[in-house]
Amino acid sequence: MFDSLKKKFNVAGEEPGGTTTKPDISREKSAELYEKAKTFFPGGVNSPVRAFKSVYGTPLFIEKGDGSYIWDADGNQFIDFCCSWGPLILGHNHPKVREKVIEAMQNGMSFGAPTALENELAELIIKHNKFIEKLRFVSSGTEAVMSAIRLARGYTKRDKILKFEGCYHGHSDSLLVKAGSGLVTFGETSSAGVPKSFADETIVVALNDKEALQKAFDEFKDQIAAVIIEPIPANNGLLLQEKDFLQFLREICTKNETLLIFDEVISGFRIGFEGAAAHYQVKPDIITYGKIIGGGLPVGAYGSTAKIMNNISPDGAVYQAGTLSGNPVAMAAGIAQLSELLRMGFYRDLNNKTEEFTSAIQRFATARTYKFKVFTIGSIFWFAFTEKEAIRRADEIDAASMEKFKKFHRELINRGIYLGPSGYEVGFISSAHTKIDLERAKRAIFDSLEVVFKPNQTPSGK
Ligand SMILES: *Cc1c(COP(=O)(O)O)cnc(C)c1O
């Protein structure tokens, strides 16, 4: 009670300086719900970043979403740039998705037997994706990646995998591994509970570093089953890779008979329908999907050529299964969402809108010589408090700059703009974000940047 009062009247927490800071919005109900949630869940949440540990305050509990907007338990309205961490490319509660889901639900929720809806979603994907001949549906991105890794190991009959520092691939054991010191390293576990012997099978190198990659292949000749990469790394800032590096990666994998896995859980259906593979014109051997593919319901998938996919059970020896895999309600949501994405000009409009938005923000910051850069591709953006023109590796991110993000985030929340609660997270624009929404958001972003960089002056009101 005292805490939430303090929050309400903005007397607690780090005091932002100056008169330009907006008073904190009321967060009383969210704070109460969070107190209760902490008695049920570790950290009060069911996924860690939701806990607001690296920004001001406690999590906002969301009551509803519609289009580009969300409302929290205290009735505050926000323009949402988190979009459920990417899945909602059509915005919240899109009528086409909602109607299709309701229609599917009339027939029951789950059968554990095949339904025509699985065929329908698979056909929609395969028909419009030249990189995939067969796929398998699962229920999350983590599961898709975990299964893709097993498939690669089963297919190549090798054990080691190689990943890049700064890419996230879900929370399976083999991938909760970070770089040790040195150019090429065996991974060190990045979570308690992951056996060291698992980490020993995962090699970790820096992104955008051909030399390190070459060295890894020299050192572990004929041992690497797969290289996995987010071709557009978007889970630790937005670490845009050079096309040249991705091509090198393709070539070195081919030469060593190592499978190349593109983890397109974010970039799939986001950077165009065929994702990053089509954007860079680099053909991976296996692709993993999640997020957008399920229209906001839990769906993941992994796909490849028929030849490789036929190694999956029951055709092949690589076991993988799921009680709720291909769930009809989730399939329906995916079908409705992906059908919208196939409309002429969908991506052109979305990407142009994003480009206008991000370039206006960049111009504003540059004109004021703020150390601030907006990195962007497609409808993904990342606000970085940096002077660097490019950031391509995890170790190029300045951890100290996150203090600025923290202030920025608080100012934005108080101005009705919701960004994911960490400076390492990217933002997403959906087709539901209107020009007016983006104008409003821009103004809030300008004012918030002024508070962050010039805390004692009056905002321009631009
Ligand atoms: C989100 C994400 C995952 C994990 O997906 P979940 O559905 O959260 O399990 C894996 N890889 C990438 C690239 C992701 O962005």
Side-chain angles (χ1 to χ4, degrees):
M1 160 76 172
F2 183 52
D3 257 8
S4 63
L5 272 183
K6 280 203 292 191
K7 250 160 232 144
K8 188 170 179 186
F9 296 109
N10 190 21
V11 294
E14 70 275 41
E15 257 338 285
T19 52
T20 63
T21 297
K22 278 255 196 189
D24 281 335
I25 53 169
S26 166
R27 294 171 160 214
E28 228 163 317
K29 291 235 171 66
S30 280
E32 257 168 50
L33 286 165
Y34 185 55
E35 284 309 309
K36 189 143 198 195
K38 281 197 282 188
T39 70
F40 299 134
F41 314 117
V45 288
N46 287 298
S47 195
V49 72
R50 297 179 194 174
F52 268 51
K53 290 294 181 202
S54 43
V55 293
Y56 172 79
T58 54
L60 299 176
F61 278 62
I62 306 305
E63 215 161 74
K64 64 172 181 176
D66 196 52
S68 61
Y69 291 93
I70 51 173
W71 287 263
D72 70 9
D74 291 277
N76 301 303
Q77 185 193 46
F78 304 91
I79 301 175
D80 178 26
F81 290 102
C82 177
C83 297
S84 189
W85 303 101
L88 304 182
I89 192 168
L90 304 176
H92 293 271
N93 200 12
H94 190 277
K96 288 260 171 64
V97 178
R98 183 179 63 233
E99 279 155 25
K100 184 91 183 165
V101 163
I102 292 171
E103 185 194 314
M105 281 167 65
Q106 313 281 359
N107 296 323
M109 314 277 176
S110 180
F111 310 107
T115 67
L117 291 165
E118 291 154 80
N119 287 357
E120 207 181 313
L121 182 55
E123 189 168 14
L124 201 60
I125 296 166
I126 291 168
K127 211 167 137 186
H128 298 97
N129 186 324
K130 60 182 163 293
F131 303 101
I132 289 197
E133 291 171 1
K134 274 193 176 180
L135 52 75
R136 170 65 63 85
F137 289 122
V138 292
S139 302
S140 70
T142 295
E143 232 186 308
V145 170
M146 187 180 79
S147 312
I149 297 278
R150 187 178 302 141
L151 171 59
R153 284 174 163 155
Y155 181 78
T156 59
K157 304 193 167 53
R158 298 174 179 177
D159 288 343
K160 294 214 183 311
I161 57 169
L162 184 147
K163 80 175 281 282
F164 295 92
E165 185 71 5
C167 286
Y168 176 70
H169 303 292
H171 66 88
S172 66
D173 284 338
S174 309
L175 292 159
L176 285 182
V177 169
K178 61 179 186 227
S181 53
L183 192 59
V184 174
T185 62
F186 283 124
E188 287 173 15
T189 63
S190 59
S191 161
V194 175
K196 189 180 170 300
S197 56
F198 282 46
D200 286 348
E201 301 298 342
T202 305
I203 304 153
V204 185
V205 301
L207 282 161
N208 206 46
D209 186 343
K210 290 183 192 170
E211 191 195 339
L213 199 55
Q214 183 65 58
K215 196 153 176 282
F217 274 99
D218 293 345
E219 235 169 86
F220 300 101
K221 199 168 166 37
D222 302 331
Q223 295 176 56
I224 305 175
V227 170
I228 184 163
I229 187 170
E230 287 180 83
I232 296 175
N235 276 288
N236 185 68
L238 182 61
L239 306 174
L240 295 172
Q241 298 299 288
E242 286 163 303
K243 179 174 177 173
D244 181 50
F245 177 70
L246 295 173
Q247 279 168 338
F248 178 78
L249 187 55
R250 174 65 276 177
E251 283 157 24
I252 203 168
C253 284
T254 305
K255 202 157 51 180
N256 288 277
E257 291 172 26
T258 292
L259 298 188
L260 175 59
I261 304 173
F262 273 6
D263 182 355
E264 299 227 39
V265 170
I266 284 187
S267 55
F269 311 101
R270 170 65 64 178
I271 309 297
F273 196 85
E274 292 176 284
H279 178 81
Y280 291 111
Q281 289 296 311
V282 172
K283 187 183 179 304
D285 298 299
I286 305 175
I287 310 184
T288 57
Y289 296 112
K291 299 196 169 102
I292 290 176
I293 198 174
L297 269 71
V299 181
Y302 60 104
S304 180
T305 58
K307 179 172 174 239
I308 292 177
M309 287 307 284
N310 290 344
N311 288 271
I312 297 289
S313 54
D315 278 354
V318 177
Y319 188 74
Q320 188 271 309
T323 302
L324 292 175
S325 292
N327 173 270
V329 181
M331 294 291 108
I335 292 163
Q337 175 147 285
L338 297 199
S339 302
E340 289 301 302
L341 305 187
L342 285 167
R343 283 174 184 274
M344 269 278 281
F346 178 88
Y347 288 102
R348 187 199 53 219
D349 293 349
L350 182 61
N351 297 351
N352 286 345
K353 197 162 67 175
T354 306
E355 168 60 27
E356 271 176 40
F357 177 67
T358 54
S359 60
I361 296 166
Q362 187 63 68
R363 275 198 306 277
F364 176 87
T366 305
R368 281 156 188 77
T369 66
Y370 295 161
K371 292 176 184 168
F372 180 81
K373 177 96 182 131
V374 193
F375 294 102
T376 182
I377 185 168
S379 47
I380 308 175
F381 64 86
W382 178 44
F383 293 146
F385 289 85
T386 183
E387 285 177 286
K388 295 184 178 129
E389 278 308 307
I391 298 185
R392 304 197 193 279
R393 300 168 45 135
D395 59 6
E396 291 168 357
I397 301 177
D398 172 18
S401 73
M402 294 301 159
E403 276 310 306
K404 286 205 170 66
F405 179 84
K406 195 170 171 179
K407 269 193 189 146
F408 184 56
H409 189 267
R410 181 178 185 175
E411 294 301 323
L412 287 175
I413 288 281
N414 290 333
R415 289 172 172 81
I417 307 296
Y418 189 86
L419 283 187
S422 158
Y424 289 94
E425 300 292 348
V426 297
F428 298 97
I429 297 199
S430 76
S431 59
H433 287 85
T434 64
K435 291 227 157 146
I436 294 169
D437 293 334
L438 295 177
E439 272 310 313
R440 263 194 56 201
K442 260 192 278 182
R443 256 178 267 133
I445 288 164
F446 294 168
D447 288 351
S448 300
L449 283 174
E450 293 204 325
V451 173
V452 171
F453 285 102
K454 300 193 289 186
N456 292 310
Q457 289 174 34
T458 329
S460 66
K462 275 188 284 306

